[in-house]
Structures are given as C-alpha cells and as structure tokens.
Amino acid sequence: MSKINNDSAIDKMFHKTLWSGMGMSDDDIKRPIIGIANSFNEIVPGHYNLRQVADFVKKGIYRGGGSAVEFGTIACCDGIAQGHSGMYYILPSREIVADSIEVMIRAHKLDGIVLLGSCDKIVPGMLMAAARANIPAIFVPGGPMLGGPAFGAKAKADGTAVTEAVGMMQAGKITKQDVDNLAHVVSPTCGSCAFYGTANTMCCLAEALGMTLPGSALIPAVYSERFRNAQESGERIVDLVRKNITARKVITFESIQNAIAVCMATGGSTNAVLHLPALAYELGIDTDKIMEEFDRQSDLVPLVARVNPASLEYDMEDFYKAGGIPKVMINISEKLNLDVMTASGKTLKENLDTYTFCYPENNDLMRTLDNPHSTLGGVAIMRGNLAPDTAVSKPAAIAEELRIFTGKAICFDSEEECTKALEELRIKPGHVVVIRYEGPKGGPGMREMYSPMKMLYGQGLAKSTALVTDGRFSGTNNGCFVGHVSPEAAMGGPIALVKDGDEITIDVINKKLTLHVSDEELAKRKAEWKYTPKELEGYLARYAALARSADKGGVLDFKQLLK
C-alpha cells in the first residue's frame, strides 16, 4: 500500500484529487507508488536510450503490482564538457543529482525508487540519493555503446581515439582528414563509452554493491536484453517495497568492501576513489576508513579482468560476453562478503550460485586469482612528501616498465597552460608534467586531465613522460599518471611548491610519490607562496566554499558551517 494512504483523511483526499488529475485511478493510488528517476536527455549518448528503458521499467512495475511515476534529473557528459569551462561543473553536478532525487523522494513520500543512469557523476549521485532517502531502491544502467573499427593498436576504437589522433596529427603522423573520418565511426551507437572509464566503472560498482540485478551493469545499450533487464528491475522494486528492503540494507560498509574488491580486480577508474568515499559519507561512515580499505585491498586483490584502456583487444561488449561482474565476483569470491543483501531480494551468494552465463568463456580477458593479469590491484593509493594526504594511481593502466618513473618537473597552473605547451611541442621525454590548481576548490570542480594524457599518447610520449595533478583522470587514460594529490595546490599542498626542474619519483609498486626537495627548502617555498582564489559566482562559488578535498570524496560538507 502506498505511503500516501497513511496521511490524514483531508490530506488523503487532496492527494487523491491531484493524482486523479493525471488520470490515475483509485486502484493506481492504492498500489505502492514507485518513482523512476530518469536522467534521459538528448545531450548525453549514455542516456539517449533511457526513455525506452523507462518504458520497460514501467511495464515491470505495473506487472509487479505498483504504480510508476517518472521524473527527470540532470545528466552532464564529461566528453562534451572536455576542453572548456564546462568541465568545471562535472564533478559538482553529482551533488545536484543527489539533491534533486532526494527532494523528489521525500517531498512526495515515494514508496520505492528506480534509478536510471549510465554516466560518470550521475550514477554515484543517484546512489548517494538512495542512501540518504533510505527507501527501497534499485539502479538500472542504460548500458555501454558498441566499439568502432580498429585504430592504431586497438582492435576496436572508442571515442577517445579521436583525441589520440589529434596528438598524432600534431606530430605529423596522420592528416586532419584522417581525424575527421575517424570521428564519424568510433561511436557507432548510443550508450556509455565503450571503454572501462568512470561511467562503466560506476555501473559495475553499483552491481558489486548489490544495487542492480545480477549482470545488469554491462549489457550493451542496444541489446534487447537491456529492456528485459529493465522490466525485471521494475517488478523487483515492488517486491523490495513489500519486503521493506531499503537502500541502507543493501549499501553497507561490507558491500562497499565488495565494490572496492571488484574495482581492484577489474582495473576500474580512479574516480571510484572519489565516489565510494562520498557514498560512505552519506551513510555516516568515515571517509578515511574507505581510503584505508582501498589501500588494504590493493595489496590483496589482483587484476583478474583486463579491458580497454588496460587492454588493446577487449572492450565493454567483450567484458559482458566474458561473464561481466558476476564472473568477476565468482572468480574472486574468497575476497568478498557473500552474505550481504542485494536489490534482487537475495544475498550475493544466492545470486552468484544461480547466475546463468549465456556466452562462451574468455579465459584471456577473464582470469582467476591464481592466474591474474597482474598481482598489483587495479588502483593504488599513493603517499609521500608530495601527497601527505594521499594521491591515486592506476597500475592496471600503467605499463610495467613505467611503474617506477623518475623525471624532471615541468609545471603548469592549469590544464589550459599544459595543453598550450603540448601544442607547441614543449614537453619532452623525461618530463614529469605537473598540473595544479585543478582540485575540488582550486579548479573548482576537479577537472579531468584527460586531454593532456591523450595528447602525450598521440605525440609518442606516453612511455617517456609522466603526469601528476591535484585534478583527476578519465578512466580511459593510460601512461604513467598520479591524480587526486591531496592537499591540493589551492589549499597550500606541496604540489603548489614544485618548481620546474625538481626531480620527482613515481613508484607505483611501493605506492610512493616523492618530490626530491628537502623539507627545509619546501618550508622556505611555503613561506613565500601566495594564492589568489578565482572569482566565482553561482553554483561553483557555493561548491568551492564547501567542497572537501579529494581524499574525502570531494563532498559538500555542510557540517563545517555548524562548527
């Protein structure tokens, strides 16, 4: 029965009048009222199919005995925002997604919620809202797009190949026409990008958390199975309402541990180290505890699945056919908490014991604990005098010969400064590129340093340079890189004190980030350091004022206003 039926007689009648105004019958109003938070729009390719997905969710909800009420929320595209000021808004948009869904749930006393999304900040924002509202909830991804034709060393190209191609054009390896031709064919369908970036990582981690039906994360956007999954999810949410299995019974510290294990085992995006602490924050779990868990598991869970960008051969469609997240979790089951509850209404163990695989095994893409691709976990929490409060790297996307790299710093106070230097071919082998003042407060909004990394690759510098930043990276980046340096430059962190020519060592194997400058010299530089924050207005001004550092998930901490 709907929660609105528990209201006073006067309120109940007024509510009935308003529901009736949209054509709902008395029977519709008596059923559980299930919200569908749909981030469909015609800007983001990963969300372009969600209108159709929502139709199947509605069928499932009605079949299950509920009434569906759909509403929209925002969704930004990291790719379209790349390279201009729009990127400042991407990470901050996560909080707006969470706030808007929380408001709709609580204002309208919804009995349950189905979350429809696919891309980077939208997925964690939706999960954060579910954790806040703590009603029965299930997440339905839109699914990844299919890959494009072979390009360069990749068996199937993706949208990022165009950025790499621009670097090749700058180096005189290909023509502008080659780049134009490529742009038309590397994104052949709608869906989240075909590589294992943040979008697909967060969908996979939503499944690892137990917030999707088993196997949901990687069904391609254009497969009919995507619609069947949506309909089943609609049926399931009504069952969760009847059993009172709320979001916080699914999202727990133990399920977050499982998500971290899957991130390590699959080489997930470094942005997971922003989003899982932010989700934990909503549950009242200390974010430091989550960072410690990432660090602990990086020594325990090896890389068992390798896909683009860690692989030149396999993309998301291949990952799905190889068994996806259910197969990963079976292969690393001894590292998991198997008794946790999931949105299927069953425990994780029950889900894995009964899951049916429809495609032949791929023992090259998907390996086991005793035969991993690498003994290093997919993500590494770095520490050292350049990152006293941690930084993040991704061993899965770093060639073995680059996992210990020492070079001379070349410093830039923004992404734009670095891009200009790349266009002028000023970055040379042996450089450690330092891009700073791009953290949550300094950016503001912690932009991705996607383009500089891709341009380094295109110019043939991916294996002879490194990049360190207080910004973050796209899940598709590879090469030698370290992001999320905390404290950030805008907070006076050591990254603000680096000078051109300083020697820096990145030791991913031992998780060390070292600036070879004495403490005395750094203290002297700190005394001379000056910083003038950017003049901001609107939402970015509020975000910069309240944002915590990257090691705290970049959350908006209103509690600090009460101190």
Side-chain angles (χ1 to χ4, degrees):
M1 180 178 290
S2 170
K3 288 178 185 174
I4 62 173
N5 289 292
N6 296 324
D7 293 333
S8 69
I10 293 175
D11 288 339
K12 190 185 302 183
M13 189 57 65
F14 186 44
H15 296 160
K16 179 178 178 178
T17 298
L18 295 173
W19 291 109
S20 297
M22 296 179 288
M24 294 181 74
S25 68
D26 288 351
D27 178 63
D28 292 329
I29 298 168
K30 290 177 183 178
R31 293 165 173 254
I33 304 297
I34 308 298
I36 301 175
N38 190 353
S39 53
F40 162 81
N41 62 45
E42 296 180 341
I43 301 174
V44 184
H47 295 215
Y48 193 69
N49 64 330
L50 290 180
R51 180 178 284 166
Q52 291 175 289
V53 172
D55 288 341
F56 282 85
V57 171
K58 291 174 187 176
K59 291 178 183 179
I61 290 171
Y62 200 77
R63 177 183 284 183
S67 292
V69 288
E70 182 181 358
F71 62 92
T73 188
I74 67 166
C76 298
C77 179
D78 289 48
I80 295 173
Q82 287 287 347
H84 57 81
S85 60
M87 197 65 196
Y88 291 123
Y89 288 89
I90 296 300
L91 178 59
S93 74
R94 182 187 69 184
E95 319 309 307
I96 295 177
V97 171
D99 290 348
S100 65
I101 295 173
E102 175 199 357
V103 166
M104 290 297 285
I105 290 173
R106 288 181 165 159
H108 301 103
K109 299 182 72 172
L110 300 179
D111 296 292
I113 188 74
V114 181
L115 307 163
L116 303 188
S118 287
C119 294
D120 296 15
K121 312 309 166 287
I122 298 92
V123 178
M126 288 180 161
L127 296 176
M128 290 161 67
R132 288 181 197 172
N134 194 29
I135 64 171
I138 193 166
F139 175 69
V140 180
M145 68 171 63
L146 303 185
F151 176 75
K154 290 182 180 178
K156 289 188 284 185
D158 57 72
T160 67
V162 174
T163 312
E164 295 171 356
V166 169
M168 294 177 184
M169 181 184 69
Q170 290 170 339
K173 299 177 182 179
I174 60 176
T175 68
K176 183 179 183 301
Q177 187 62 54
D178 293 328
V179 179
D180 289 341
N181 293 344
L182 188 68
H184 288 293
V185 296
V186 290
S187 298
T189 71
C190 66
S192 49
C193 297
F195 50 82
Y196 198 35
T198 309
N200 289 313
T201 293
M202 293 314 301
C203 290
C204 288
L205 298 193
E207 182 174 334
L209 284 165
M211 285 297 290
T212 77
L213 293 184
S216 291
L218 290 170
I219 303 168
V222 295
Y223 278 27
S224 61
E225 179 61 23
R226 173 54 61 201
F227 298 134
R228 290 192 291 273
N229 175 268
Q231 182 165 296
E232 185 181 354
S233 298
E235 290 185 68
R236 188 57 49 212
I237 187 63
V238 183
D239 187 54
L240 294 177
V241 169
R242 292 188 175 124
K243 293 178 178 177
N244 194 33
I245 299 176
T246 63
R248 292 194 183 190
K249 292 178 182 178
V250 175
I251 308 173
T252 62
F253 178 69
E254 290 73 22
S255 69
I256 292 175
Q257 285 182 307
N258 288 346
I260 292 172
V262 168
C263 186
M264 294 296 174
T266 58
S269 169
T270 52
N271 285 313
V273 189
L274 276 174
H275 299 318
L276 290 182
L279 181 58
Y281 176 85
E282 301 294 346
L283 300 172
I285 299 171
D286 189 343
T287 54
D288 289 347
K289 189 175 180 182
I290 304 303
M291 295 298 287
E292 290 165 4
E293 190 63 22
F294 268 104
D295 196 17
R296 185 185 75 85
Q297 292 209 39
S298 68
D299 294 326
L300 298 176
V301 183
L303 185 72
V304 301
R306 176 173 280 171
V307 291
N308 180 10
S311 167
L312 296 173
E313 184 173 358
Y314 301 119
D315 66 1
M316 292 300 99
E317 183 183 20
D318 300 312
F319 195 4
Y320 168 65
K321 290 181 176 180
I325 298 306
K327 185 63 173 177
V328 170
M329 297 186 90
I330 288 171
N331 286 6
I332 65 167
S333 59
E334 65 186 71
K335 306 290 185 182
L336 302 176
N337 302 306
L338 296 174
D339 59 348
V340 295
M341 180 52 62
T342 74
S344 72
K346 300 176 182 178
T347 67
L348 175 60
K349 184 178 188 305
E350 290 172 322
N351 287 343
L352 297 181
D353 285 346
T354 57
Y355 191 80
T356 300
F357 296 97
C358 298
Y359 294 90
E361 292 186 356
N362 183 338
N363 294 320
D364 183 35
L365 185 159
M366 189 82 69
R367 297 189 181 180
T368 56
L369 286 174
D370 58 0
N371 181 36
H373 291 283
S374 171
T375 56
L376 292 179
V379 173
I381 304 301
M382 310 284 284
R383 289 182 170 85
N385 70 336
L386 190 50
D389 293 342
T390 73
V392 180
S393 189
K394 185 177 177 179
I398 300 176
E400 289 188 19
E401 64 269 27
L402 293 177
R403 289 176 180 171
I404 299 178
F405 186 98
T406 298
K408 300 291 185 181
I410 179 169
C411 301
F412 306 98
D413 289 346
S414 69
E415 179 187 5
E416 287 81 2
E417 286 186 14
C418 180
T419 299
K420 186 173 186 295
L422 280 162
E423 290 171 348
E424 295 170 354
L425 304 179
R426 287 193 280 124
I427 295 174
K428 307 296 182 183
H431 273 149
V432 176
V433 177
V434 177
I435 306 178
R436 57 197 175 194
Y437 298 102
E438 290 287 5
K441 287 184 176 294
M446 203 178 178
R447 292 190 293 178
E448 289 180 348
M449 300 302 106
Y450 157 84
S451 293
M453 288 297 297
K454 288 296 180 182
M455 291 173 73
L456 286 170
Y457 177 90
Q459 291 183 14
L461 295 170
K463 291 192 175 182
S464 59
T465 59
L467 196 153
V468 175
T469 181
D470 55 5
R472 55 193 180 86
F473 292 97
S474 164
T476 183
N477 284 132
N478 51 23
C480 185
F481 60 90
V482 181
H484 304 210
V485 172
S486 301
E488 62 177 287
M491 298 298 291
I495 191 171
L497 311 177
V498 182
K499 293 184 177 181
D500 287 351
D502 287 348
E503 193 170 76
I504 295 173
T505 295
I506 299 167
D507 183 348
V508 176
I509 296 172
N510 295 298
K511 297 183 282 189
K512 296 290 185 183
L513 181 61
T514 305
L515 173 63
H516 296 285
V517 174
S518 69
D519 292 343
E520 292 78 14
E521 175 62 19
L522 287 176
K524 179 183 176 182
R525 294 181 187 181
K526 182 64 178 287
E528 298 170 351
W529 174 73
K530 295 180 181 179
Y531 171 65
T532 302
K534 295 176 181 175
E535 293 185 8
L536 302 169
E537 60 184 14
Y539 178 54
L540 286 184
R542 297 198 302 274
Y543 181 85
L546 294 173
R548 297 290 300 273
S549 63
D551 65 304
K552 306 295 184 186
V555 296
L556 295 188
D557 188 4
F558 294 94
K559 296 174 185 176
Q560 61 183 289
L561 295 177
L562 304 176
K563 294 180 180 178

